[in-house]
Amino acid sequence: MFEILVTTSRGLDGLLLDELTSLLPNCSLKMRPGQVYFSGELKDVYQVCLWSRLANRVLVQLAEGKIDSAEELYDIVASVPWQEHFDVTNTFVVDFVGTNRTINNTQFGALKVKDAIVDTFTHHFGERPSISKVQPNIRIHARVRRENFAVYVDISGRSLHQRHYRQNTGQAPLKEHLACAMLLRSGWYNEPTKPLFDPMCGSGTIVIEAALMACNIAPGLGRQHWGFSNWKLHLPELWETLVADAHNAQTLPQAKIFANDLDRRVLNSAKQNADSARMLEHITFFNSDATKLQVDCEPGYIVSNPPYGERLNELTELLPVFQSWGEHLKQHFQGWRVSLLTANRDLFKQLKLIANKDYKLMNGAIDCQLVNYVLDEKNCVVKQTIRPDSDFANRLAKNIKSLSRWLKKQNTNCYRLYDADLPEYNVAIDRYDDWLVVQEYAAPKDIPEQKTRKRLHDVLLALPEVTGVNSAQIVVKTRQKQKGSEQYQKVAEKKVTLEVYENGAKFLVNLSDYLDTGLFLDHRITREIVQQRSRNKDVLNLFAYTGSVSVHAGLGGAKSVTTVDMSKTYINWAKQNVQLNNIQCANEFIQADCINWLADHQQTYDLIFIDPPSFSNSKRMDSTWDVQRDYLQLIEHAAKRLNNNGEIIFSNNLRSFKLDTNSVNDLGLSVENISQKTLPEDFKRNPKIHHCWLLTKQA
């Protein structure tokens, strides 16, 4: 008899217990979280390996005991006659799971186990087996929990969920044993003659596993390498007998199985996987929109792993899709049962269906729920789609109407539509031509995450309807306070770039990849002031970002423009913007820490624009920067580089910032607060979006 431990993913242990109870009716099984354990014969071990659709690993215990030191762990492992389990010529590897106060590092634990095994062989043969992490002959598994320790030989080898057929996967592959769990929880396994349909099949895992179930094909039949292949206690004749029995048990499926995916490339991968599993002939594949596709058969089961919308930008497209899909299911799939896996239950609210059961499952490291629905008469009532009439939608529509007259007088296609006008809808919404950028401000800690997520969903659902912008052209970001060089860090790699215009200038903006787009819309009037004051002047643009002020200075007829920023990315972006506008004046682009560069610089200018960050602790700076603490020294250095009657336009966006007028006057500069003059109409609700002063050097 062997002591056997079978592991699975969290949430599947109850299903695994039921499965093994059916497979091994003569064994007494017990369950722990993620595990089922029992005493059994080698035949029982083989049966689990061959037939379990839910197990990850099958482990045969070799020794156990309580440990209070690394030495005690070593002694337990050394007590195993390892030479009776594998040869010194075999390779092996040790997996170690768990820690306690003695073994607080799994690598250390694995090392102690390895040492004990190697020392045993060295003692008996004068030589030791080699370690191999790539397909070792023997896999040793050790587990520690509190003071309890056990060491096993891993009979399965690779995790059992890794079937032989998976050649290609999509972006978020569903593990095979989880697909089986979904089929079991859906109820289809108990009615295998009923049609099965996965409308968003991805790499095809669910329908392939369903076809294998319907054909009564043991999931272990296709595996070429087992953990027991080089185990000395392995009985090849017994194994071959069980494999032959499994082959003889195969049948033809009685169910119609359908799969669909909108992405043709992904669908082709699913077909290749199905062909590798020899199930292609039993599955009908469609390449269509799930919100429109119908299947011609009696009611059955829909089981699917649709997109979760893990990234904010995915939600903008998924929310309306789930709305349409819910209506489609009610109209064309009456009588069907639906089981859907998600990590975002709020997304399912758009289906407008009442769930009758849900289960907690893990898809890899992602906490998920499997939600079951019955498309009965009550659930198939199609309610008329209500146009967005929430407080947010109404306020946004009001804003658009009030801005429409102002926009007719503006020469721009990028502006702000909404800026947290309603506290409960804490977002800013900017329009760039036919695109929208939604910036979700970090919610206060006392507001539940579920509530903020629902409000964001409300926003994203209302936007296409109210603005007329396609949901695929809505970019969503979460805005939090940035520190140091974080303002320069990418937040995505989608490269949603386009050309926009403003008061005769053209700019390249990147709507997706950075926290900011490359154009500060609240400085629209400020840039116009720079343009008006630049003719025949030498202009310096400090903390230049993407050079929008440099562009306006050049268009205003500047004699020369010097553009300085610490970021190479933004300096290159600034060069592109200047080239885009075909500016002919002398242009110099300098990548440098503006503060140190200005302190050592000797050239003088007629107009200097300064818009520093509120705070920075970038590694590229010699020290930290705090605008309230350090601005006077910055202005002092700038004043020294200013010609007589020259001007400094000084701006920043620290809401609590205070300018010491007397101290600035002492530097020989007059002070005019032009903050209100530089506040555009679309930002007037937020008068502290920036501060701005005109500082003039007296002759």
Side-chain angles (χ1 to χ4, degrees):
M1 294 286 283
F2 296 98
E3 297 301 318
I4 302 157
L5 177 66
V6 184
T7 69
T8 190
S9 299
R10 197 174 74 197
L12 304 190
D13 33 45
L15 286 174
L16 178 62
L17 179 65
D18 293 342
E19 179 188 57
L20 297 187
T21 299
S22 177
L23 278 176
L24 311 171
N26 298 321
C27 293
S28 177
L29 300 106
K30 297 180 181 179
M31 183 179 73
R32 287 194 293 253
Q35 304 173 1
V36 172
Y37 59 102
F38 61 96
S39 298
E41 303 290 346
L42 193 55
K43 179 181 178 181
D44 302 320
V45 175
Y46 289 155
Q47 288 287 69
V48 177
C49 289
L50 258 181
W51 285 99
S52 178
R53 302 182 190 278
L54 301 169
N56 281 337
R57 296 195 178 277
V58 181
L59 310 171
V60 171
Q61 183 176 294
L62 303 181
E64 67 170 338
K66 295 186 180 298
I67 60 171
D68 195 34
S69 67
E71 289 69 27
E72 291 178 348
L73 180 152
Y74 179 96
D75 291 341
I76 292 172
V77 178
S79 70
V80 177
W82 292 103
Q83 68 278 9
E84 297 178 9
H85 292 279
F86 65 99
D87 286 329
V88 71
T89 56
N90 293 140
T91 59
F92 78 102
V93 73
V94 177
D95 297 323
F96 198 98
V97 176
T99 58
N100 63 12
R101 60 187 182 127
T102 299
I103 310 297
N104 56 15
N105 182 286
T106 56
Q107 289 183 332
F108 173 71
L111 181 63
K112 295 300 290 185
V113 173
K114 184 266 295 181
D115 288 345
I117 296 172
V118 166
D119 291 347
T120 300
F121 277 98
T122 302
H123 173 73
H124 285 280
F125 304 105
E127 57 180 317
R128 49 162 287 176
S130 299
I131 300 293
S132 174
K133 294 184 178 180
V134 180
Q135 199 163 325
N137 300 133
I138 295 290
R139 186 175 288 273
I140 304 302
H141 191 93
R143 302 177 77 90
V144 64
R145 184 174 182 270
R146 297 176 183 165
E147 73 278 11
N148 299 309
F149 171 75
V151 61
Y152 307 83
V153 61
D154 187 341
I155 297 301
S156 41
R158 292 185 308 148
S159 176
L160 289 180
H161 84 269
Q162 299 176 29
R163 316 285 201 241
H164 65 285
Y165 62 79
R166 178 171 275 179
Q167 307 296 317
N168 300 286
T169 62
Q171 288 186 345
L174 182 71
K175 288 189 175 182
E176 294 88 332
H177 71 309
L178 183 58
C180 290
M182 293 171 63
L183 292 165
L184 289 166
R185 291 296 193 198
S186 72
W188 176 81
Y189 183 73
N190 297 321
E191 295 188 280
T193 61
K194 294 282 188 179
L196 180 82
F197 176 36
D198 183 351
M200 301 181 186
C201 71
S203 57
T205 307
I206 292 173
V207 290
I208 294 170
E209 290 296 325
L212 291 169
M213 285 181 174
C215 293
N216 197 36
I217 294 177
L221 276 181
R223 180 172 288 233
Q224 299 300 313
H225 178 78
W226 290 94
F228 56 70
S229 299
N230 293 282
W231 185 39
K232 286 188 174 182
L233 301 187
H234 171 47
L235 299 177
E237 291 184 2
L238 174 60
W239 171 251
E240 292 302 329
T241 298
L242 296 176
V243 168
D245 291 344
H247 278 295
N248 293 332
Q250 295 180 25
T251 61
L252 290 175
Q254 301 179 51
K256 293 181 179 178
I257 300 176
F258 305 98
N260 172 72
D261 204 277
L262 183 61
D263 188 324
R264 184 179 294 277
R265 179 185 57 82
V266 171
L267 190 71
N268 286 337
S269 294
K271 289 180 178 179
Q272 290 174 22
N273 290 336
D275 189 39
S276 179
R278 300 182 180 178
M279 292 292 109
L280 184 59
E281 64 179 304
H282 303 310
I283 304 170
T284 302
F285 286 94
F286 301 99
N287 177 213
S288 183
D289 183 343
T291 67
K292 299 175 182 177
L293 178 64
Q294 302 177 44
V295 291
D296 185 18
C297 65
E298 64 172 314
Y301 289 80
I302 293 174
V303 183
S304 191
N305 176 34
Y308 302 158
E310 291 179 78
R311 301 174 185 86
L312 285 175
N313 280 323
E314 294 173 347
L315 279 175
T316 62
E317 297 184 55
L318 288 180
L319 287 168
V321 167
F322 274 75
Q323 262 193 343
S324 299
W325 192 27
E327 294 175 6
H328 181 70
L329 290 173
K330 292 179 179 185
Q331 292 174 358
H332 302 289
F333 288 88
Q334 294 95 338
W336 286 67
R337 294 179 177 270
V338 180
S339 293
L340 305 176
L341 188 70
T342 187
N344 182 0
R345 183 71 180 267
D346 287 339
L347 192 59
F348 283 6
K349 292 180 180 177
Q350 308 312 319
L351 295 171
K352 302 295 190 294
L353 295 172
I354 300 172
N356 68 320
K357 190 70 176 176
D358 58 64
Y359 304 91
K360 291 183 179 180
L361 300 174
M362 292 291 294
N363 187 8
I366 304 173
D367 285 305
C368 295
Q369 285 182 297
L370 180 69
V371 187
N372 286 358
Y373 306 91
V374 178
L375 294 177
D376 53 18
E377 184 177 349
K378 182 180 179 181
N379 245 344
C380 286
V381 174
V382 179
K383 298 178 181 178
Q384 184 176 0
T385 302
I386 301 174
R387 299 300 179 192
D389 61 352
S390 65
D391 290 342
F392 166 78
N394 291 334
R395 173 56 67 94
L396 181 62
K398 181 179 178 181
N399 287 1
I400 292 173
K401 183 177 180 180
S402 64
L403 286 173
S404 59
R405 186 179 300 177
W406 168 78
L407 276 172
K408 290 178 182 178
K409 302 176 183 178
Q410 303 304 304
N411 181 20
T412 186
N413 64 347
C414 42
Y415 47 89
R416 177 151 293 186
L417 291 175
Y418 176 94
D419 193 359
D421 300 42
L422 303 174
E424 59 268 34
Y425 295 99
N426 197 23
V427 298
I429 301 169
D430 296 323
R431 182 156 191 161
Y432 293 83
D433 196 11
D434 292 330
W435 286 75
L436 296 178
V437 175
V438 180
Q439 299 181 69
E440 181 192 26
Y441 296 117
K445 293 181 180 179
D446 59 338
I447 297 181
E449 181 184 353
Q450 186 176 0
K451 182 174 287 189
T452 60
R453 191 164 58 237
K454 181 185 181 303
R455 288 171 177 172
L456 179 62
H457 288 187
D458 291 344
V459 168
L460 297 179
L461 281 169
L463 281 176
E465 185 70 30
V466 177
T467 65
V469 173
N470 189 295
S471 60
Q473 293 179 205
I474 299 176
V475 178
V476 189
K477 305 173 186 177
T478 297
R479 189 167 195 95
Q480 297 175 326
K481 288 185 178 180
Q482 301 296 295
K483 296 182 179 180
S485 60
E486 288 179 4
Q487 60 188 309
Y488 299 112
Q489 300 304 313
K490 284 193 172 185
V491 296
E493 283 283 0
K494 296 193 177 223
K495 296 183 180 178
V496 180
T497 58
L498 68 152
E499 181 184 310
V500 296
Y501 64 85
E502 167 197 282
N503 297 326
K506 295 179 287 186
F507 299 109
L508 296 173
V509 292
N510 185 322
L511 305 186
S512 58
D513 295 355
Y514 300 89
L515 185 63
D516 293 305
T517 63
L519 188 65
F520 294 131
L521 301 185
D522 61 299
H523 271 311
R524 189 184 307 114
I525 295 175
T526 314
R527 288 188 286 269
E528 193 172 9
I529 291 173
V530 170
Q531 181 172 338
Q532 294 167 354
R533 293 174 178 269
S534 293
R535 178 161 297 279
N536 295 322
K537 292 182 179 179
D538 293 312
V539 180
L540 172 62
N541 182 11
L542 292 171
F543 307 96
Y545 190 35
T546 60
S548 57
V549 166
S550 300
V551 168
H552 275 281
L555 292 174
K559 185 165 50 176
S560 71
V561 180
T562 301
T563 303
V564 187
D565 196 273
M566 186 165 55
S567 166
K568 182 179 180 181
T569 297
Y570 291 146
I571 283 294
N572 289 335
W573 199 333
K575 289 178 182 178
Q576 289 179 294
N577 279 333
V578 168
Q579 292 168 1
L580 181 65
N581 288 274
N582 195 29
I583 293 171
Q584 301 300 315
C585 72
N587 280 283
E588 185 177 10
F589 299 91
I590 299 171
Q591 181 194 350
D593 173 1
C594 293
I595 299 162
N596 291 334
W597 178 86
L598 184 63
D600 297 332
H601 193 53
Q602 297 302 314
Q603 188 175 333
T604 58
Y605 302 88
D606 303 303
L607 178 62
I608 301 177
F609 180 79
I610 308 175
D611 184 27
S614 298
F615 177 82
S616 180
N617 60 356
S618 171
K619 293 179 181 178
R620 288 174 285 185
M621 297 174 61
D622 292 339
S623 61
T624 63
W625 160 264
D626 183 300
V627 68
Q628 187 65 75
R629 181 190 68 198
D630 302 323
Y631 79 95
L632 267 177
Q633 186 179 32
L634 176 63
I635 291 176
E636 180 181 1
H637 288 311
K640 292 177 181 178
R641 307 274 61 83
L642 201 60
N643 294 325
N644 289 337
N645 296 317
E647 297 173 324
I648 297 172
I649 297 177
F650 174 67
S651 174
N652 71 77
N653 63 355
L654 179 65
R655 293 196 174 197
S656 60
F657 183 83
K658 302 293 182 185
L659 185 83
D660 186 342
T661 302
N662 292 332
S663 295
V664 176
N665 289 154
D666 291 342
L667 297 175
L669 301 171
S670 64
V671 178
E672 180 186 356
N673 190 336
I674 60 172
S675 299
Q676 289 301 311
K677 293 180 182 178
T678 61
L679 189 66
E681 182 70 25
D682 47 335
F683 284 87
K684 284 194 172 177
R685 189 185 171 277
N686 186 4
K688 292 187 178 181
I689 190 73
H690 68 243
H691 307 281
C692 198
W693 289 269
L694 180 64
L695 312 178
T696 306
K697 186 173 184 178
Q698 303 303 314

